[in-house]
Amino acid sequence: MNPVIAARGLARQFGGLRAVDNVSLDLARGELHALIGPNGAGKSTFLNLLSGEIRPSAGQVLLNGADVTAWPVWRRARAGIGRSFQRTDVMREMTVADNVRLAAQARLARGLALLRPARGAAAIDAAASAALARVGMAGRAGQRAGALGHGELRQVEIAMALATAPAALLLDEPLAGMGPEDVAAHAALLRTLAADHAVLLVEHDMDVVFAIADRVSVLVDGAILASGPPAQIRASAAVRAAYLGEGA
């Protein structure tokens, strides 16, 4: 199967620091690929390279076979890359539905249509409603986002990404700060998203990673140390020494 996103020799230098060092990785539709590693390993920087937040010092990003390395964020988003961040990017004074409508509008609106209210476009409303239903938040559509709990805000953020009709989802620590019940519910949601998307998940909860990932890549000092099925990664002596610890 051809990858939705392919990184080819990606590198990013910040002064004397090589934050991402010659990383190649394929992300396929129907696959949940977890990217793990210690703090400062370069995981978020790598997601930023894929989404276009920053430009690489070397290497390429391919989207459905097309070279998008020079494309800005908005163009990659319209072409099918959805992204969430470590901190929620939700407008808390707006309703849940309007947050998701704005995300859908960014993908679906064209030209002067951007000047029309988001509520005025049936396609935008439909995309927002479908995204909220997918994450189990349809019943909270009219709620002010600022009144939601942390776990619900994360659901809204994922709905915002889904409303852009992405082929690939880049999720940066979507479970951070959640309690056990929220973690279990969100892990199940992430697993279902992989059925019809290519999902790249950066996550520190190893119980979740090894329970839901199809493939795991370990990033250490900006470079891929190991990549393979969860059982293979868990059994790797090099991975245990570098990251998981002997009790893993």
Side-chain angles (χ1 to χ4, degrees):
M1 181 182 297
N2 293 328
V4 175
I5 297 181
R8 295 289 178 260
L10 273 188
R12 175 65 190 198
Q13 191 95 10
F14 295 101
L17 172 66
R18 200 165 178 84
V20 174
D21 187 6
N22 192 32
V23 173
S24 294
L25 182 149
D26 288 352
L27 192 62
R29 182 182 177 90
E31 176 185 57
L32 196 157
H33 191 141
L35 184 65
I36 66 173
N39 289 330
K43 302 182 298 296
S44 293
T45 300
F46 182 68
L47 292 192
N48 288 337
L49 290 169
L50 294 181
S51 66
E53 299 286 335
I54 58 176
R55 296 290 179 89
S57 304
Q60 289 181 302
V61 178
L62 305 178
L63 177 61
N64 293 317
D67 187 344
V68 301
T69 311
W71 290 14
V73 173
W74 66 265
R75 189 175 177 190
R76 295 191 203 193
R78 283 193 172 178
I81 297 179
R83 173 77 194 273
S84 76
F85 296 85
Q86 289 180 355
R87 294 185 178 181
T88 55
D89 192 23
V90 176
M91 297 183 184
R92 294 170 181 256
E93 295 306 312
M94 296 175 58
T95 66
V96 167
D98 282 341
N99 268 281
V100 183
R101 284 190 187 100
L102 279 178
Q105 185 179 29
R107 172 67 189 271
L108 296 173
R110 294 291 186 272
L112 293 177
L114 284 170
L115 302 178
R116 297 188 312 214
R119 293 176 185 272
I124 290 170
D125 287 346
S129 296
L132 283 170
R134 182 71 184 271
V135 302
M137 291 291 287
R140 306 283 267 167
Q143 184 85 34
R144 187 175 65 87
L148 302 180
H150 178 71
E152 291 175 316
L153 285 172
R154 287 294 190 181
Q155 286 174 270
V156 173
E157 190 175 38
I158 291 175
M160 291 168 67
L162 291 174
T164 66
L169 288 168
L170 311 178
L171 306 178
D172 198 353
E173 297 190 37
L175 308 181
M178 291 186 187
E181 289 187 5
D182 281 339
V183 165
H186 280 68
L189 170 62
L190 296 179
R191 182 62 258 175
T192 67
L193 293 178
D196 47 13
H197 298 84
V199 179
L200 183 61
L201 170 68
V202 169
E203 184 52 54
H204 285 289
D205 189 325
M206 292 300 98
D207 288 337
V208 169
V209 166
F210 288 116
I212 69 173
D214 298 300
R215 188 157 49 124
V216 180
S217 292
V218 184
L219 198 66
V220 176
D221 294 330
I224 295 289
L225 174 67
S227 186
Q232 176 183 320
I233 297 302
R234 190 192 291 272
S236 168
V239 172
R240 288 201 303 271
Y243 179 51
L244 294 180
E246 292 303 320

